[in-house]
């Protein structure tokens, strides 16, 4: 199975960002209100809009990250390997609400940028 790349970025104007990606031919595949996912030519692009201008810089620090969507077996093997290497998790491996349908974990690269590893069935 081929992994899909995932990039999460902040925008100051969600309406303009949505229009821009739709003009490129990218479908919005999920909308969470303050964020939306775009199918960026087979990869996942998540656009976040901060709720207030005062929160913009804090939002950028938390939301700008990249990663991949793996299949569940690859995800579990990577999480186990990182645990064995005592690599610290910013967000430990978790599955949503006890379900095996979705899961994620986040680590920090050497420059402090978050790397997110997810799976969805």
């Amino acid at each position: 199975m081929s992994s899909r790349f995932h990039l999460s970025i902040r925008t100051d104007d969600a309406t303009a960002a949505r229009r821009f990606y739709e003009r490129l031919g990218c479908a919005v595949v999920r909308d969470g209100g303050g964020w939306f996912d775009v199918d960026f030519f087979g990869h996942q692009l998540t656009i976040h809009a901060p709720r207030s201008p005062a929160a913009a810089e804090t939002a950028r620090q938390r939301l700008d990250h990249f990663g991949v969507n793996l299949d569940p077996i690859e995800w579990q093997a990577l999480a186990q390997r990182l645990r064995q290497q005592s690599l610290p998790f910013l967000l430990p491996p978790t599955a949503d609400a006890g379900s095996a349908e979705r899961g994620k974990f986040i680590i920090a690269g050497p420059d402090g940028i978050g790397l997110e590893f997810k799976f969805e069935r």
Side-chain angles (χ1 to χ4, degrees):
M1 177 177 178
S2 175
S3 300
R4 291 187 330 141
F5 189 78
H6 165 80
L7 176 65
S8 177
I9 59 175
R10 181 189 62 87
T11 184
D12 292 327
D13 187 339
T15 302
R18 186 180 195 122
R19 263 195 318 264
F20 174 80
Y21 289 105
E22 287 174 338
R23 289 179 69 192
L24 289 177
C26 301
V28 173
V29 295
R30 193 164 41 178
D31 190 330
W35 58 269
F36 59 93
D37 285 339
V38 173
D39 181 343
F40 189 73
F41 304 95
H43 300 280
Q44 184 182 51
L45 178 60
T46 302
I47 309 292
H48 293 270
R51 301 204 187 284
S52 72
E57 191 54 36
T58 301
R60 179 180 301 280
Q61 291 170 357
R62 282 192 326 243
L63 299 175
D64 289 350
H65 65 270
F66 69 96
V68 292
N69 295 1
L70 301 171
D71 75 34
I73 294 169
E74 290 174 305
W75 182 85
Q76 188 64 255
L78 179 58
Q80 184 61 29
R81 190 167 66 245
L82 298 178
R83 279 189 192 109
Q84 290 171 345
Q85 296 175 18
S86 299
L87 191 73
F89 291 95
L90 297 177
L91 174 71
T94 57
D96 288 353
S99 164
E101 296 300 312
R102 282 191 280 191
K104 69 179 175 179
F105 63 85
I106 300 173
I107 62 173
D111 54 9
I113 293 177
L115 288 88
E116 181 177 49
F117 299 87
K118 303 192 312 183
F119 78 86
E120 287 185 333
R121 289 188 196 262

